[in-house]
Amino acid sequence: MTDAAWQKFGGATVTPNATPSSIQGDLADQLNAAVGAEIAQAFAGTAGLVYTVYFHFKVSTTSTVRVRFSDGGPLNATVDYDLSANTATIVSSNYGGAVKISNAGNGFKQCEFTFTMPAGTLFNAIFPFISNNVFCALGQAELGAYATSYIPTLGAAVTRGAATAEKTGISSLIGQTEGTLFLELDIIAGSPVYQTLMQVYGDDDNRIAIGQDLNNTNVFMFINGSGSSSYQVATVAAGPHKIALAYKNGDSVLYIDGTAAITTTRAISLATSLTTLFLNNLNGNEIGIFKDSQALLFKTRLSNADLAALTA
């Protein structure tokens, strides 16, 4: 960011390159103003689409940053980000939205606001000062319901490429007779595809998976081995969930948000070794439409008490 990029009202000023940024090698600006002054950033969007806007802030003399997201008319959402207490609070909003705060590195906090763009294509993030100064390292608006990685754009729109990771030879990390899959993610309302969310896989006849059904929010537990399969469903609401599938011959269970949702005593007999771990992937066909925040794989069947604690 540069001083020229900020809109300043009521005597507000910007000190450029004032302190080391959250991005290695960059410098952050200091936003300076008395109570009642404002500094703003504008960004364009498309009505009806979901966007996530975020900034990296750090305490200078101010621990709470107030941001008003406005179309310049009647639509406003006011959010307070407490950089010391690590809390984000929607003070008021007449078009909804969701907030989040997290550590961004070097003392900065990533302050997010996710919302559906109302009518109109131009929106403003306005900082009405309720105390004094704060450091700001960056700001980014993304199409989608969650923040990805920061891309320096210098004012131009860009498309983020897909992130991939791959490691071969992991069969020793997968429990062949027992194990546990854990996933923390957002279940989407009405999945447009039948999707395995997390799966350990040998072949189509030997695999164990957590998935989401087509066109609803049903979460399923699927265990398939030696031609014998078990497919059981639990219904959850759309939104964030912690899900664990623990499998063992005659003793398998699916925990969702601290509660056992599905249990089965079905025998498990695998004719082929489990050699591959898939995330958001149906047997090698990737469909990246889900929001995963954490995935864990254990070689043992965790106890029910551990599963309850893990998913709580």
Side-chain angles (χ1 to χ4, degrees):
M1 287 184 169
T2 64
D3 179 31
W6 296 98
Q7 301 175 55
K8 299 175 282 289
F9 309 95
T13 63
V14 174
T15 303
N17 304 326
T19 192
S21 170
S22 53
I23 305 299
Q24 186 174 5
D26 284 354
L27 295 172
D29 294 345
Q30 185 177 39
L31 312 184
N32 316 295
V35 175
E38 294 182 345
I39 293 177
Q41 283 278 353
F43 60 94
T46 300
L49 297 183
V50 176
Y51 290 86
T52 296
V53 180
Y54 66 87
F55 295 87
H56 285 189
F57 292 122
K58 181 179 180 179
V59 174
S60 175
T61 59
T62 295
S63 61
T64 298
V65 180
R66 174 164 289 179
V67 185
R68 187 172 73 251
F69 299 92
S70 170
D71 67 346
L75 296 175
N76 289 277
T78 299
V79 182
D80 280 354
Y81 298 98
D82 190 322
L83 308 181
S84 297
N86 276 335
T87 59
T89 305
I90 296 179
V91 179
S92 63
S93 176
N94 55 13
Y95 60 93
V99 293
K100 180 180 179 181
I101 187 169
S102 58
N103 290 322
N106 200 28
F108 283 84
K109 303 298 172 66
Q110 180 162 307
C111 300
E112 303 178 20
F113 181 60
T114 299
F115 66 103
T116 300
M117 179 71 78
T121 60
L122 186 65
F123 232 64
N124 298 282
I126 302 169
F127 311 107
F129 278 79
I130 55 177
S131 51
N132 287 305
N133 307 329
V134 66
F135 295 116
C136 184
L138 60 88
Q140 182 156 293
E142 297 190 37
L143 180 63
Y146 63 99
T148 58
S149 56
Y150 171 64
I151 304 174
T153 60
L154 301 179
V158 298
T159 300
R160 184 182 186 274
T164 61
E166 183 174 336
K167 177 176 173 59
T168 58
I170 67 163
S171 58
S172 63
L173 305 178
I174 301 174
Q176 299 298 322
T177 59
E178 63 176 284
T180 303
L181 313 179
F182 170 78
L183 195 58
E184 184 175 359
L185 81 164
D186 276 10
I187 295 295
I188 65 175
S191 170
V193 294
Y194 167 91
Q195 177 74 316
T196 53
L197 304 173
M198 185 174 186
Q199 177 179 202
V200 284
Y201 179 88
D203 57 29
D204 284 356
D205 294 323
N206 296 273
R207 53 197 174 107
I208 298 167
I210 302 168
Q212 181 178 350
D213 270 347
L214 173 67
N215 293 329
N216 56 49
T217 58
N218 290 344
V219 173
F220 64 78
M221 175 175 76
F222 181 63
I223 299 173
N224 195 18
S226 299
S228 175
S229 64
S230 172
Y231 176 89
Q232 294 174 272
V233 171
T235 299
V236 300
H241 295 280
K242 296 180 181 179
I243 303 171
L245 189 166
Y247 60 93
K248 188 176 182 179
N249 189 34
D251 182 21
S252 300
V253 64
L254 185 76
Y255 266 76
I256 302 175
D257 300 331
T259 301
I262 301 171
T263 60
T264 179
T265 58
R266 180 180 291 271
I268 300 175
S269 177
L270 299 173
T272 300
S273 295
L274 302 172
T275 59
T276 306
L277 170 66
F278 287 128
L279 292 173
N280 292 343
N281 192 304
L282 182 57
N283 305 346
N285 298 311
E286 182 177 358
I287 309 174
I289 60 174
F290 293 86
K291 295 166 51 182
D292 299 343
S293 57
Q294 185 177 192
L296 300 172
L297 178 65
F298 301 87
K299 292 181 65 176
T300 59
R301 185 220 187 275
L302 299 185
S303 69
N304 288 354
D306 286 340
L307 292 168
L310 180 64
T311 59

